[in-house]
Structures are given as C-alpha cells and as structure tokens.
Amino acid sequence: QPARAVDLVEEESGAPGEEQRRWEEARLGAASLKFGARDAASQEPKYQLVLEEEETIEFVCATQLQGDEEPSAPPPSAQAQQRESIQAVRRSLPVFPFREELLAAIANHQVLIIEGETGSGKTTQIPQYLFEEGYTKKGMKIACTQPRRVAAMSVAARVAREMGVKLGNEVGYSIRFEDCTSERTVLRYMTDGMLLREFLSEPDLASYSVVMVDEAHERTLHTDILFGLIKDVARFRPELKVLVASATLDTARFSTFFDDAPVFRIPGRRFPVDIFYTKAPEADYLEACVVSVLQIHVTQPPGDILVFLTGQEEIEAACEMLQDRCRRLGSKIRELLVLPIYANLPSDMQARIFQPTPPGARKVVVATNIAETSLTIEGIIYVLDPGFCKQKSYNPRTGMESLTVTPCSKASANQRAGRAGRVAAGKCFRLYTAWAYQHELEETTVPEIQRTSLGNVVLLLKSLGIHDLMHFDFLDPPPYETLLLALEQLYALGALNHLGELTTSGRKMAELPVDPMLSKMILASEKYSCSEEILTVAAMLSVNNSIFYRPKDKVVHADNARVNFFLPGGDHLVLLNVYTQWAESGYSSQWCYENFVQFRSMRRARDVREQLEGLLERVEVGLSSCQGDYIRVRKAITAGYFYHTARLTRSGYRTVKQQQTVFVHPNSSLFEQQPRWLLYHELVLTTKEFMRQVLEIESSWLLEVAPHYYKAKELEDPHAKKMPKKIGKTREELG
Ligand code: CDP
Ligand code: MG
C-alpha cells in the first residue's frame, strides 16, 4: 500500500486507495447494519466477528475482576506502586527531557512563549516543575489559566493526583461560581476569566510569582485581554514570570506582541494520521456520526474513538442514539463504552473519560472542541470529525449576538486530526468532502474578540481604571463599532456617565461576576423589592437550557410536566416557578425525577444562587420578596434587559430599535401566545433567529426603566388598532 493521506492536498486528487475503498464499503455495510442489524450481520461475514465475540467474554471477566477490587482501598504497597507508575508517566511525557533547559530559560527571561504539541505535558507538568523549583516559596502563587472550565477542573484534579495532595490544598482550581482553592493553594488552575477578575482585587497580581497563560492559541476574549494587562504588569514587576503556552500555532505572533520574547519549542511526538473524507456531503451529520462510529467499531482494529460535536444537546442525542443501537445489536458487536464530555458535565462523569478502556472493549468519547487541545485522552486512535463547532458571532450594527453551528477552520480540523496520532498511527474520518476542506473551510478561527459583544470586558477594564480603550494594547483589536456599542450600552445601563467614567452603579455591576445586563437586573431588584426572586431568575438563567429533560420514550409526559410549570408572563417566571417548587420539595432529586427536571442543573443553579446572594451585600442590595407580585419581578428584569426587546408587528416580531425579524423559540411558554411586547434573554440562530427565554412586558415599563433610552414616540404602535383584539390586548388589559 502506498504511503497515503498524510498530505491533504494530494488526498483530493488521488484515486481511492485500498483503505478508502474498504472504508466506503464499510459505510454501506453499517448503513444496513442500522436498519436491519440481524440481516446485515448474517449476510455480511464481516459483521459476524467471531473473534470479537470471544474477546467480549474475556472482557466480562476483566470487569468482574475490576469490580471485585474496587471497593477496598488498595494496600499501601499498591499505593506506592501507583505513585511510581504516575512518576513513570510523568517522565515519559515529551516535555520531561527539557525540564532543566526549560527552567533555565524561565530563569533567564521574564516572558517566555512555550510551544508544544497537545499532550506534551505543558499544562500538567510545567507548573509542577516551577513548584519543585521553588517558585512558590514565601507563599507566592502560580496561576495557570485555561479557556474552559472543564479543563481547569480536570487538569487541577490530575495534577493534585500526581503530586499526591488533596484537590483544593496545594493544588486547586477556581472557575466562575466555584472556588476549589484554600489559603494553602499555590498552584492555581483557573479560567482566564477568573484571572481577569483577580485584577480587580489585586491589580499588580502581587501574590503571584508566575502567570502561565495556557492554551493561548485559542484566543478567547479573556485570554486576549489578559495579554494586554499582563504585559503591562510585567513592566513594573520585573520579578514576575510570564509564560504563554500554546499548541503549535501562532507562536510568532505572541512573541512579537511580548517584545520579541523567546519561543521555547518542545518537539512533539506525533504518529502519522491517515485522513479520510466522505465522497459526498452528509445531510445529517449527527446520524452520519452514529453510523460511522459503529462502522469504525466493527471494521477497525482496537483503539478508542474521539468524536467532535458542537454542544451538550447534540452530544447527549448522539450518545443516546449510539447506546440505543448498541443495545439492539447486542452481542453481535463488542462492548462500546459511550462517554460524553462537555462543559456542564458533572466532574465524576468527566473523570470517566480518562479511565483506561477495559480490555476487549472500545471507548468512544463524544466531545465538544474541548478535546481539540485542552484535554488529552490517552488511547485515541480514531477521530471522527463532522467539521462543525459552535461559534459566537456578533453584529455591532444591530447589537445582536448569536451562537451558531458553523464549519470549523482548517487549523481546527488539523488539530482534531492530530488527536488520533498521539499513541500510535491513527485515522481521522472527516464527514465532509476533500473539496469542502479545500474550498469551504477558513484557514484559522477568527479571534473571539472580533466576534463578540464587549460590554463585560469594557466594564471590567473601566473598573481597572483603563480609560482609553481605543489605545489598549490588543493583540488583535476589536472592531471599532463593537467597542463603541459596548460603551453606549454601558451608558444606557447607567454604568458609565456621559464622560465615559464609571458610575457608582457601574462599580457595583463590575463586582458581580455576570453580564452587565444581568448585574443591572440584580441591582434593580432593590428598587422593586424582589431580590429573592431575581436571584433565582439570575441563577436559573445562568444554567440555561438544560433545566428540562425529554427522554425519547416519555416525550408526552415530559412535555406535560413542562407545561405544568407555565405561568402567565413568560419563561423567566417559569424558571422561577420550577426553582421555587424544587426548593419547597426540600431540593429533592426525587421531585426532579418526577417532574422531568435535571437535578444536576438545579443543583448548579442553587450553587450559583448562593454565591450571588453572598455578593448582594457588597452591591448594597437587601433581601426582599415580591410576595407573589410578579409585575415587580418583570419590571426588574426589564430594567436589565430593555436592550433586548421585540414588538409584534403584522409581519411577526421585530426588535424595537433595530427592526430585525426574530421569532419566539418553540420551547417557550409564550410560543402560542403572541403578546405585543416581549423581552428576550438571548438570541440563538439555528434555522431562524430565535429568542430564547422570553418575557411579556408593557411598553410603558420601558419608559419607566430606561427613559434615557426610549422615547415615548417610538413605543407607540401604529398597527395596534388594526390588529385583531385578541392579539392586540395584553394580559394586564384583559385583567
Ligand atoms: O498541556 P498539554 O496539552 O501539553 O499536555 P497535558 O494536558 O499536560 O497532558 C499531559 C498528559 O497528562 C497527557 O498524557 C494526558 O493524557 C494526561 N492527562 C490526564 O491523564 N488527565 C488529565 N485530566 C489531564 C491530562
Ligand atoms: Mg494543555
């Protein structure tokens, strides 16, 4: 067989090789496997898999053994053995041979850019080396930032294990609404957003000896802002060490930005990865994924599979479909362990993806692009890449932010493929055509700072006393209009005065670790005496979209349960209702189960609520309840979200200021009601521009909460009289 598929350009023109043909045959096979598993299996000798069935039996034995061992704690000798094997793993990582050289480079340079293939040990090892080298003497701390919550948590857990300490002692993590650190914590893994917030309490980061900005290539908004701030701090704190760690992308840019800081390259170990494309585009990539996983499972030699999907809902759907089909195939196929990983997955579930696959079985990890570079899972040989990711985009002209599923970039696709070649030669199956790769994918992903709203960050920078944002040291500047709009919005929210200076209310808003509109809503709850309810709404909004679940076999029951929570007024009140009833049940998991509510999400909402409640005093909001007067709750929400309003016109809903056409999300409690004025929490662009979490409001409230923003004239409705009465009247008018 010729050496193939390493060069992607050639791939397109080359005639399909033996492998490719087998792959395509297998595709057809698996497609029939999908519809009539038994028949396909009996006709196609390939699927009889006699050998594999024997292996299944072997596997059962292996799990039984494991099961017996687990309950009792390993004897001391086993513990020592375990520790020794952990150390052996540490020594086997690509970064290890460079330990001394790296430490010397860090000692000699204030800023060092570190480039290394994903999985080479940058995140887990370098902070430990620094710890061993004494960078945490005299209580100084080392920060290592991660763009993603899950990565911060899981990496901290791993490092704590490697160091033999309890998570939260010497090693800890800190992510929004969850602080797993203590006085003793010197190695702090944290989200980039959390380090940004550290600047509020410690503008010179005086308690840190080293700041490692990790996963710098991800170019998240917070990482980009950190660059500017850290560069500044480094100037007047010469003893502070700054490390910028990145996968093998873009490092020259970082070097230039940090005044030509040296780049330390950790040579990677990478096995060749064969790339396969589909012959024709796939219409339904979720379905295609499921089929392909089974196909890999039945036709390919051992090795785990990594699948890239775009988000929790998709991942859960894919996992369900996979499990379902495996169940139907029964003993015809070997055991397939289906494991999801996404941001909101509880940590015990997250840990499962790192556990070694039992012999004879195969693991398939279905992940968001968190597994692209932030997390390395051992044993992956096959990567399945549908070529999509969820991306935020922002239109500064309309002020609309939306989260859409878009094709990923070539750089992303190549990172994904690389994950197959870490332990041995691997294969990457792309669910798109070679032509699409060449012609339809962008080279790189646009940095987040250029496609997001900046309200949050501008508020933070203003509270750090950074006034002249136009001249802030950005690696890539945001669009001018986006900055301007952020300033305008903050002015409208009362966070800035007409000179662009932070107001008292703005200072308070910056104290709360949530978006400016949400902070404003919380502050406004003081005036409307409903902070208890508003805290709940805020907490529930922050665990958004994962409150209800809808198992396939109980769709009707689940939908009925959801409708039972509906309250007149809209989705925010529904969320409030769910939480209140859950609290009345004593925060019961049984209650959640009976009402098709996700217990995990609720538990998280409770955590968030507690944390926000703890901050109320700092922002001078007292605890109070509306006692059932939901108009007050709705007005407080409006005080924060008056920017996000839509009115019903003869041709459907349009946003009030920008006149954009928008639609009520079918899951909304107001889907069938069509109130004249609406407020929405967010817009999500799928097939249409959908408003998610909508609330019915009165136009007069807009004048009450934002007189500087709305003129009475623009809130008059020329069509009102011509509309049928039933639609034209609001709930309040109807009594
Ligand atoms: O940061 P980089 O991508 O260079 O590598 P790393 O995240 O430090 O990973 C080094 C090794 O630790 C890899 O072999 C991972 O599989 C392993 N690791 C793990 O087993 N569990 C984690 N939670 C994180 C990393
Ligand atoms: Mg890393």
Side-chain angles (χ1 to χ4, degrees), residues 686-697:
T686 50
T687 44
K688 294 180 193 164
E689 198 83 60
F690 282 116
M691 299 180 275
R692 227 167 7 191
Q693 311 295 8
V694 294
L695 185 73
E696 179 180 354
I697 57 166

Side-chain angles (χ1 to χ4, degrees), residues 463-520:
S463 13
L464 292 177
I466 295 166
H467 227 37
D468 184 6
L469 297 175
M470 302 293 170
H471 293 102
F472 183 75
D473 200 353
F474 293 109
L475 187 52
D476 281 306
Y480 178 72
E481 306 88 68
T482 307
L483 257 185
L484 213 59
L485 191 65
L487 290 168
E488 256 173 51
Q489 286 189 340
L490 288 171
Y491 172 71
L493 286 170
L496 301 178
N497 65 19
H498 65 288
L499 296 173
E501 297 159 346
L502 204 64
T503 61
T504 319
S505 145
R507 193 162 297 284
K508 288 182 192 168
M509 281 164 69
E511 287 273 342
L512 298 172
V514 294
D515 276 342
M517 287 190 279
L518 206 63
S519 329
K520 180 63 191 269

Side-chain angles (χ1 to χ4, degrees), residues 118-119 121-124 146 155 214-215 373-376:
T118 312
K122 299 183 296 296
T123 310
T124 54
Q146 296 293 313
V155 164
D214 200 1
E215 305 287 329
T373 59
S374 320
L375 289 184
T376 296

